[in-house]
Amino acid sequence: MAVRPAWEVRENGGTTRWFEFRLVFEDGARVDALAVVGGGCLCVEEVRAQPALALDDLAVLAEWIEESVAEACGSGSGPDGRGGEGRRARPARPRGAEGRLLVAREYRAAQRDGADPVLAVMGATGHSRRTSLRLIGQARDAGLLSPRRARR
């Protein structure tokens, strides 16, 4: 992925930055995007893709852009350039078996409390709904959570 700062505006003690992104795949597919970062938020303003992207692909694109913007803003800084506190903090999550145990523990605690278990995992890991669902599936596959009930 190629990331290029497009322009920057400073006003009222804050900074708003725009970044251009280009992804080119081996099969010739291409995605160009424009993202704006300011006030601790990252917004994708424009996406052009050839061939067109599915909605699921847009969610993945947003995650890639978020990580790339953090890197483009400088080491240790969030997308707003103020440091990690301005960026949606993603807690350090253990990987592997420890990570699956964390996901299972958060999921079961939310169920016990009558809360949405997927939102609990999202909050604990800092990941999107899609990624959290994948992590929950991995915990299930490891036998840490009961199998999913069939929908009727």
Side-chain angles (χ1 to χ4, degrees):
M1 174 183 300
V3 180
R4 187 174 69 89
W7 62 92
E8 184 176 298
V9 175
R10 295 176 192 228
E11 68 179 356
N12 299 330
T15 302
T16 303
R17 297 176 176 179
W18 283 262
F19 293 89
E20 294 176 334
F21 296 87
R22 173 166 285 167
L23 285 99
V24 179
F25 298 92
E26 291 178 8
D27 63 358
R30 187 171 112 180
V31 178
D32 292 306
L34 179 66
V36 63
V37 179
C41 296
L42 170 71
C43 299
V44 178
E45 294 217 337
E46 183 177 333
V47 175
R48 292 180 186 207
Q50 198 55 252
L53 295 175
L55 288 175
D56 287 342
D57 296 333
L58 283 173
V60 172
L61 176 68
E63 288 179 14
W64 286 348
I65 287 175
E66 181 180 26
E67 293 169 10
S68 297
V69 165
E71 291 173 15
C73 287
S75 82
S77 67
D80 63 357
R82 295 182 306 175
E85 72 276 6
R87 185 171 189 258
R88 177 180 56 171
R90 187 169 283 170
R93 179 183 66 84
R95 300 198 178 272
E98 288 182 35
R100 289 187 292 275
L101 283 169
L102 168 71
V103 167
R105 187 172 44 248
E106 292 294 329
Y107 188 95
R108 285 191 304 269
Q111 279 185 321
R112 243 188 344 266
D113 296 342
D116 184 338
V118 177
L119 288 178
V121 171
M122 288 171 64
T125 63
H127 287 291
S128 68
R129 181 174 192 81
R130 181 178 181 172
T131 302
S132 295
L133 287 169
R134 184 175 45 81
L135 295 172
I136 291 166
Q138 290 172 357
R140 276 200 172 91
D141 292 346
L144 301 171
L145 293 171
S146 60
R148 217 177 127 182
R149 288 183 252 158
R151 292 185 182 191
R152 296 178 189 200

